[in-house]
Protein backbone atom coordinates (compact mmCIF):
# COMPACT_ATOMS: atom_id res chain seq x y z
CA UNK A 1 0.00 0.00 0.00
CA UNK A 2 1.43 3.43 -0.92
CA UNK A 3 2.32 5.80 1.90
CA UNK A 4 2.59 9.23 0.26
CA UNK A 5 4.19 12.49 1.37
CA UNK A 6 3.01 15.57 -0.57
CA UNK A 7 5.10 18.74 -0.24
CA UNK A 8 2.33 21.31 -0.57
CA UNK A 9 1.53 25.01 -0.55
CA UNK A 10 -0.09 25.28 -3.98
CA UNK A 11 -3.49 24.99 -5.61
CA UNK A 12 -2.36 21.81 -7.35
CA UNK A 13 -1.16 20.25 -4.07
CA UNK A 14 -4.60 20.84 -2.56
CA UNK A 15 -6.30 19.33 -5.60
CA UNK A 16 -4.06 16.26 -5.36
CA UNK A 17 -4.75 15.95 -1.62
CA UNK A 18 -8.50 15.90 -2.31
CA UNK A 19 -8.08 13.07 -4.85
CA UNK A 20 -5.88 11.05 -2.49
CA UNK A 21 -8.47 11.52 0.28
CA UNK A 22 -11.25 10.31 -2.04
CA UNK A 23 -9.15 7.24 -2.96
CA UNK A 24 -8.48 6.48 0.70
CA UNK A 25 -4.70 6.57 0.16
CA UNK A 26 -2.39 6.92 3.17
CA UNK A 27 -1.03 10.41 2.58
CA UNK A 28 0.22 13.47 4.46
CA UNK A 29 0.51 17.04 3.12
CA UNK A 30 3.41 19.11 4.37
CA UNK A 31 3.51 22.90 4.85
CA UNK A 32 6.57 24.98 5.77
CA UNK A 33 4.53 26.98 8.28
CA UNK A 34 4.89 30.25 6.38
CA UNK A 35 1.41 31.56 7.10
CA UNK A 36 -0.73 31.71 10.22
CA UNK A 37 -3.61 29.56 9.03
CA UNK A 38 -2.82 27.35 6.07
CA UNK A 39 -5.71 26.00 4.08
CA UNK A 40 -7.55 23.08 5.68
CA UNK A 41 -6.83 19.84 3.81
CA UNK A 42 -8.75 16.57 3.42
CA UNK A 43 -5.67 14.52 4.38
CA UNK A 44 -3.50 14.86 7.50
CA UNK A 45 -1.12 17.83 7.51
CA UNK A 46 2.32 18.35 9.03
CA UNK A 47 3.74 21.85 9.46
CA UNK A 48 7.40 22.93 9.64
CA UNK A 49 10.77 22.30 8.03
CA UNK A 50 12.40 18.87 8.02
CA UNK A 51 15.93 20.10 8.79
CA UNK A 52 17.44 20.18 5.31
CA UNK A 53 17.75 17.31 2.84
CA UNK A 54 19.14 15.02 5.56
CA UNK A 55 16.15 15.76 7.78
CA UNK A 56 13.74 15.00 4.95
CA UNK A 57 15.57 11.74 4.14
CA UNK A 58 15.25 10.80 7.81
CA UNK A 59 11.53 11.61 7.72
CA UNK A 60 11.05 9.46 4.60
CA UNK A 61 12.71 6.51 6.34
CA UNK A 62 11.15 6.92 9.81
CA UNK A 63 7.65 7.33 8.36
CA UNK A 64 8.09 4.52 5.78
CA UNK A 65 7.14 6.90 2.97
CA UNK A 66 6.85 4.97 -0.33
CA UNK A 67 6.24 7.92 -2.70
CA UNK A 68 7.29 11.57 -2.50
CA UNK A 69 5.31 14.18 -4.48
CA UNK A 70 6.89 17.65 -4.70
CA UNK A 71 3.86 19.88 -5.34
CA UNK A 72 5.52 23.03 -4.02
CA UNK A 73 5.53 26.42 -5.76
CA UNK A 74 8.05 26.87 -8.62
CA UNK A 75 9.90 29.44 -6.47
CA UNK A 76 10.32 27.02 -3.55
CA UNK A 77 13.69 26.07 -5.04
CA UNK A 78 15.39 25.01 -1.83
CA UNK A 79 12.58 22.63 -0.90
CA UNK A 80 12.59 21.10 -4.38
CA UNK A 81 16.36 20.64 -4.36
CA UNK A 82 16.15 19.00 -0.94
CA UNK A 83 13.37 16.69 -2.17
CA UNK A 84 15.56 15.43 -5.03
CA UNK A 85 18.53 14.78 -2.72
CA UNK A 86 16.44 13.19 0.05
CA UNK A 87 14.45 10.93 -2.29
CA UNK A 88 17.70 9.70 -3.83
CA UNK A 89 19.30 9.16 -0.42
CA UNK A 90 16.29 7.28 0.98
CA UNK A 91 15.58 5.38 -2.27
CA UNK A 92 12.02 6.76 -2.47
CA UNK A 93 10.49 7.48 -5.91
CA UNK A 94 9.90 11.22 -6.49
CA UNK A 95 7.64 13.09 -8.86
CA UNK A 96 7.10 16.86 -9.13
CA UNK A 97 3.63 18.27 -9.76
CA UNK A 98 4.27 21.71 -11.14
CA UNK A 99 2.72 24.26 -13.50
CA UNK A 100 4.01 25.43 -16.88
CA UNK A 101 5.33 28.99 -16.83
CA UNK A 102 2.97 31.68 -18.09
CA UNK A 103 3.83 32.95 -21.55
CA UNK A 104 3.05 36.39 -22.98
CA UNK A 105 0.47 36.85 -25.73
CA UNK A 106 0.35 39.51 -28.45
CA UNK A 107 0.01 42.93 -26.88
CA UNK A 108 1.44 41.96 -23.50
CA UNK A 109 4.04 44.42 -22.21
CA UNK A 110 6.24 42.08 -20.13
CA UNK A 111 9.80 42.79 -19.05
CA UNK A 112 11.15 39.36 -18.08
CA UNK A 113 13.90 39.42 -15.42
CA UNK A 114 15.87 36.60 -13.86
CA UNK A 115 15.30 37.27 -10.12
CA UNK A 116 14.09 39.68 -7.43
CA UNK A 117 17.27 41.80 -7.65
CA UNK A 118 16.80 42.29 -11.39
CA UNK A 119 13.15 43.25 -10.77
CA UNK A 120 14.31 45.93 -8.30
CA UNK A 121 16.82 47.24 -10.84
CA UNK A 122 14.15 47.30 -13.54
CA UNK A 123 12.18 49.82 -11.43
CA UNK A 124 14.88 52.51 -11.69
CA UNK A 125 13.42 55.76 -12.95
CA UNK A 126 10.79 58.36 -12.09
CA UNK A 127 8.14 57.73 -9.43
CA UNK A 128 5.31 55.38 -10.42
CA UNK A 129 2.46 53.49 -8.74
CA UNK A 130 3.69 49.89 -8.56
CA UNK A 131 1.90 46.72 -7.45
CA UNK A 132 4.30 44.21 -5.87
CA UNK A 133 2.29 40.98 -6.12
CA UNK A 134 5.19 39.06 -4.51
CA UNK A 135 3.89 38.37 -1.03
CA UNK A 136 5.86 39.33 2.09
CA UNK A 137 9.25 37.63 1.91
CA UNK A 138 11.03 39.83 -0.64
CA UNK A 139 9.37 43.24 -0.24
CA UNK A 140 12.19 44.97 1.68
CA UNK A 141 14.51 44.62 -1.35
CA UNK A 142 12.39 47.25 -3.09
CA UNK A 143 13.48 49.90 -0.55
CA UNK A 144 16.29 50.42 -3.09
CA UNK A 145 13.65 52.16 -5.24
CA UNK A 146 11.94 54.37 -2.61
CA UNK A 147 10.62 56.86 -5.18
CA UNK A 148 7.61 54.69 -6.06
CA UNK A 149 4.23 54.35 -4.35
CA UNK A 150 3.75 50.62 -3.78
CA UNK A 151 0.67 48.43 -3.45
CA UNK A 152 1.51 45.28 -1.47
CA UNK A 153 -0.55 42.11 -1.01
CA UNK A 154 0.31 39.74 1.84
CA UNK A 155 -1.38 36.57 3.10
CA UNK A 156 -1.06 37.73 6.73
CA UNK A 157 -0.76 41.16 8.34
CA UNK A 158 3.00 41.75 8.77
CA UNK A 159 4.59 41.68 12.22
CA UNK A 160 7.15 44.29 11.06
CA UNK A 161 6.12 47.21 8.84
CA UNK A 162 7.64 46.97 5.33
CA UNK A 163 10.71 49.21 4.89
CA UNK A 164 9.10 51.24 2.10
CA UNK A 165 8.36 54.98 2.49
CA UNK A 166 5.11 54.97 0.51
CA UNK A 167 2.87 51.89 0.35
CA UNK A 168 -0.65 50.55 0.73
CA UNK A 169 -1.15 47.02 2.02
CA UNK A 170 -3.90 44.55 1.16
CA UNK A 171 -4.11 41.42 3.32
CA UNK A 172 -5.70 38.70 1.21
CA UNK A 173 -5.01 35.17 0.11
CA UNK A 174 -5.61 33.67 -3.31
CA UNK A 175 -6.75 32.08 -5.48
CA UNK A 176 -7.72 35.50 -6.87
CA UNK A 177 -10.18 36.40 -9.66
CA UNK A 178 -9.66 38.69 -12.64
CA UNK A 179 -12.51 41.09 -11.85
CA UNK A 180 -11.25 41.51 -8.29
CA UNK A 181 -7.68 42.11 -9.40
CA UNK A 182 -8.75 44.48 -12.16
CA UNK A 183 -10.75 46.50 -9.61
CA UNK A 184 -7.76 46.52 -7.24
CA UNK A 185 -5.38 47.78 -9.94
CA UNK A 186 -7.83 50.52 -10.97
CA UNK A 187 -8.69 51.54 -7.41
CA UNK A 188 -4.99 52.10 -6.69
CA UNK A 189 -4.28 53.63 -10.10
CA UNK A 190 -1.48 51.08 -10.64
CA UNK A 191 0.90 51.79 -13.54
CA UNK A 192 3.02 48.60 -13.46
CA UNK A 193 2.76 45.16 -11.84
CA UNK A 194 5.71 43.11 -10.52
CA UNK A 195 5.16 39.37 -10.07
CA UNK A 196 6.75 35.93 -10.19
CA UNK A 197 6.14 33.62 -13.10
CA UNK A 198 4.33 31.22 -10.77
CA UNK A 199 2.25 29.59 -13.47
CA UNK A 200 -0.97 27.87 -12.56
CA UNK A 201 -4.39 29.37 -12.03
CA UNK A 202 -4.27 30.58 -8.41
CA UNK A 203 -2.13 33.61 -9.11
CA UNK A 204 -2.88 34.31 -12.77
CA UNK A 205 -5.70 36.82 -12.14
CA UNK A 206 -3.33 39.78 -11.89
CA UNK A 207 -1.71 38.84 -15.21
CA UNK A 208 -5.10 38.80 -16.94
CA UNK A 209 -6.16 41.98 -15.13
CA UNK A 210 -2.98 43.85 -16.15
CA UNK A 211 -3.50 42.60 -19.72
CA UNK A 212 -7.09 43.88 -19.75
CA UNK A 213 -5.91 47.28 -18.53
CA UNK A 214 -2.93 47.40 -20.91
CA UNK A 215 -0.49 47.67 -17.99
CA UNK A 216 3.19 46.69 -18.28
CA UNK A 217 4.50 43.87 -16.09
CA UNK A 218 7.88 42.97 -14.65
CA UNK A 219 7.76 39.15 -14.74
CA UNK A 220 10.34 37.31 -12.62
CA UNK A 221 11.47 34.03 -14.21
CA UNK A 222 11.37 30.99 -11.96
CA UNK A 223 14.66 29.64 -10.56
CA UNK A 224 16.35 26.76 -12.37
CA UNK A 225 15.91 23.39 -10.66
CA UNK A 226 17.88 20.14 -10.92
CA UNK A 227 16.37 17.55 -13.27
CA UNK A 228 13.50 15.47 -11.85
CA UNK A 229 10.44 13.68 -13.10
CA UNK A 230 7.79 16.41 -13.68
CA UNK A 231 4.07 16.34 -14.52
CA UNK A 232 1.52 19.14 -14.81
CA UNK A 233 -1.70 17.32 -13.90
CA UNK A 234 -3.04 15.57 -10.79
CA UNK A 235 -4.18 12.65 -12.99
CA UNK A 236 -0.57 12.09 -14.05
CA UNK A 237 0.51 11.84 -10.41
CA UNK A 238 -2.26 9.30 -9.70
CA UNK A 239 -1.21 7.26 -12.76
CA UNK A 240 2.40 7.35 -11.51
CA UNK A 241 1.34 6.25 -8.02
CA UNK A 242 -0.65 3.30 -9.40
CA UNK A 243 2.03 2.33 -11.90
CA UNK A 244 4.93 2.59 -9.46
CA UNK A 245 2.86 0.79 -6.81
CA UNK A 246 2.11 -2.02 -9.30
CA UNK A 247 5.83 -2.35 -10.00
CA UNK A 248 6.37 -2.53 -6.26
CA UNK A 249 8.97 0.22 -6.62
C1 LIG B 1 2.10 28.70 3.14
C2 LIG B 1 -0.77 27.86 2.20
C3 LIG B 1 -4.12 26.37 -2.14
C4 LIG B 1 -2.86 27.06 -2.33
C5 LIG B 1 -3.07 28.51 -2.76
C6 LIG B 1 -0.78 28.93 -6.03
C7 LIG B 1 -1.93 29.82 -5.59
C8 LIG B 1 -3.14 31.07 -3.84
C9 LIG B 1 -1.28 33.05 -5.35
C10 LIG B 1 -0.60 37.72 -5.58
C11 LIG B 1 0.35 36.54 -5.52
C12 LIG B 1 2.52 34.59 -3.68
C13 LIG B 1 2.26 33.94 -2.29
C14 LIG B 1 0.58 33.25 -3.72
C15 LIG B 1 -0.42 32.48 -4.25
C16 LIG B 1 -1.87 30.27 -4.13
C17 LIG B 1 -1.73 29.14 -3.12
C18 LIG B 1 -0.63 31.09 -3.78
C19 LIG B 1 1.14 34.48 -4.34
C20 LIG B 1 -0.45 29.99 0.55
C21 LIG B 1 -0.03 29.07 1.65
C22 LIG B 1 1.26 29.37 2.03
C23 LIG B 1 1.71 30.41 1.19
C24 LIG B 1 3.07 30.99 1.29
C25 LIG B 1 3.17 32.28 0.54
C26 LIG B 1 4.55 32.93 0.51
C27 LIG B 1 4.34 33.95 -0.64
C28 LIG B 1 3.45 33.20 -1.62
C29 LIG B 1 1.64 34.91 -1.31
C30 LIG B 1 -2.25 28.09 2.31
C31 LIG B 1 -1.62 30.88 0.87
C32 LIG B 1 3.04 36.00 -3.58
C33 LIG B 1 3.52 33.74 -4.51
O1 LIG B 1 3.86 35.75 4.35
C34 LIG B 1 4.58 34.86 3.84
O2 LIG B 1 5.66 34.45 4.33
C35 LIG B 1 4.10 34.27 2.54
C36 LIG B 1 4.98 33.55 1.82
C37 LIG B 1 5.66 31.93 0.21
C38 LIG B 1 5.60 34.39 -1.35
C39 LIG B 1 6.40 35.42 -0.61
O3 LIG B 1 7.56 35.54 -1.01
O4 LIG B 1 5.84 36.06 0.31
N1 LIG B 1 2.90 32.06 -0.87
N2 LIG B 1 0.76 30.80 0.32
C40 LIG B 1 2.75 27.47 2.55
C41 LIG B 1 3.58 26.74 3.60
O5 LIG B 1 3.63 27.16 4.76
O6 LIG B 1 4.18 25.71 3.20
O7 LIG B 1 -2.65 28.72 3.30
O8 LIG B 1 -2.97 27.65 1.41
C42 LIG B 1 -0.74 29.13 -0.67
C43 LIG B 1 -1.01 29.79 -1.97
N3 LIG B 1 -0.54 30.97 -2.32
O9 LIG B 1 -4.07 25.25 -1.50
O10 LIG B 1 -5.21 26.80 -2.56
O11 LIG B 1 -0.99 27.71 -6.09
O12 LIG B 1 0.33 29.46 -6.29
N4 LIG B 1 1.26 32.93 -2.60
C44 LIG B 1 3.49 34.02 -6.01
O13 LIG B 1 2.90 33.22 -6.74
O14 LIG B 1 4.08 35.04 -6.41
C45 LIG B 1 0.23 35.73 -4.24
O15 LIG B 1 -0.77 38.39 -4.53
O16 LIG B 1 -1.13 37.97 -6.67
P1 LIG C 1 11.99 27.31 0.05
O1 LIG C 1 12.65 28.65 0.13
O2 LIG C 1 12.23 26.47 -1.16
O3 LIG C 1 12.33 26.40 1.32
C1 LIG C 1 13.02 26.92 2.45
C2 LIG C 1 12.85 25.89 3.56
O4 LIG C 1 11.49 25.92 4.00
C3 LIG C 1 13.06 24.45 3.12
O5 LIG C 1 14.44 24.12 3.04
C4 LIG C 1 12.30 23.69 4.19
O6 LIG C 1 12.99 23.71 5.44
C5 LIG C 1 11.08 24.59 4.36
N1 LIG C 1 9.97 24.19 3.50
C6 LIG C 1 9.61 24.73 2.31
N2 LIG C 1 8.48 24.16 1.84
C7 LIG C 1 8.13 23.24 2.76
C8 LIG C 1 7.06 22.31 2.86
N3 LIG C 1 6.09 22.24 1.91
N4 LIG C 1 7.01 21.46 3.93
C9 LIG C 1 7.97 21.54 4.90
N5 LIG C 1 9.00 22.42 4.88
C10 LIG C 1 9.07 23.24 3.81
O7 LIG C 1 10.40 27.48 0.24
P2 LIG C 1 9.50 28.83 0.14
O8 LIG C 1 9.68 29.46 -1.19
O9 LIG C 1 9.74 29.61 1.40
O10 LIG C 1 8.04 28.19 0.18
C11 LIG C 1 7.54 27.73 1.41
C12 LIG C 1 6.16 27.15 1.18
O11 LIG C 1 5.31 28.13 0.60
C13 LIG C 1 6.15 25.96 0.25
O12 LIG C 1 5.16 25.04 0.73
C14 LIG C 1 5.69 26.54 -1.07
O13 LIG C 1 4.99 25.58 -1.86
C15 LIG C 1 4.74 27.62 -0.60
N6 LIG C 1 4.63 28.71 -1.57
C16 LIG C 1 5.75 29.40 -1.89
C17 LIG C 1 5.64 30.44 -2.82
C18 LIG C 1 6.83 31.27 -3.20
O14 LIG C 1 6.61 32.28 -3.88
N7 LIG C 1 8.03 30.90 -2.80
C19 LIG C 1 4.38 30.70 -3.40
C20 LIG C 1 3.26 29.96 -3.03
C21 LIG C 1 3.39 28.95 -2.10
P3 LIG C 1 13.99 22.51 5.91
O15 LIG C 1 15.23 22.73 5.11
O16 LIG C 1 14.14 22.73 7.38
O17 LIG C 1 13.31 21.21 5.57
Amino acid sequence: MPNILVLGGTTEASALAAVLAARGDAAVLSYAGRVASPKVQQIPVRIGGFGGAAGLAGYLRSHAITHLVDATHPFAAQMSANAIAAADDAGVPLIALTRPAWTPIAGDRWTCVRDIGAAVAALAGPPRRVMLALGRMHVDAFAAQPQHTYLLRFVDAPVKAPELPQYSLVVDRGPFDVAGDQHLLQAHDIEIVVCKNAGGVGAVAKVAAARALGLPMIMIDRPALPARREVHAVADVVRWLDHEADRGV
Side-chain angles (χ1 to χ4, degrees), residues 112-169:
C112 295
V113 297
R114 80 183 164 285
D115 55 23
I116 295 279
V120 173
L123 283 176
R128 282 190 283 183
R129 302 181 62 79
V130 182
M131 179 176 185
L132 294 184
L134 301 171
R136 176 186 61 86
M137 294 189 330
H138 305 288
V139 165
D140 290 346
F142 290 84
Q145 303 286 1
Q147 69 275 26
H148 303 305
T149 299
Y150 290 100
L151 170 62
L152 310 177
R153 180 157 64 183
F154 291 177
V155 177
D156 295 322
V159 175
K160 176 176 77 66
E163 293 167 12
L164 299 171
Q166 309 162 91
Y167 69 90
S168 304
L169 172 65

Side-chain angles (χ1 to χ4, degrees), residues 6-10 30-34 46-53 56 71-80 82 99 134 137-138 196:
V6 180
L7 302 176
T10 60
S30 178
Y31 281 124
R34 279 258 184 276
R46 68 167 295 288
I47 298 180
F50 296 97
L56 176 54
T72 58
H73 188 276
F75 281 71
Q78 185 60 62
M79 186 72 258
S80 291
N82 290 356
R99 314 77 82 101
L134 301 171
M137 294 189 330
H138 305 288
K196 298 173 187 170

Side-chain angles (χ1 to χ4, degrees), residues 9-12 71-74 97-102 197-203 222 231-232:
T10 60
T11 307
E12 292 74 15
T72 58
H73 188 276
L97 173 58
T98 186
R99 314 77 82 101
W102 296 317
N197 196 326
V201 296
R222 52 187 58 182
V231 293
H232 295 322

Side-chain angles (χ1 to χ4, degrees), residues 214-236:
L215 296 181
M217 299 193 85
I218 295 176
M219 184 64 72
I220 304 169
D221 291 336
R222 52 187 58 182
L225 292 174
R228 75 251 166 103
R229 189 175 196 158
E230 250 180 45
V231 293
H232 295 322
V234 167
D236 293 335

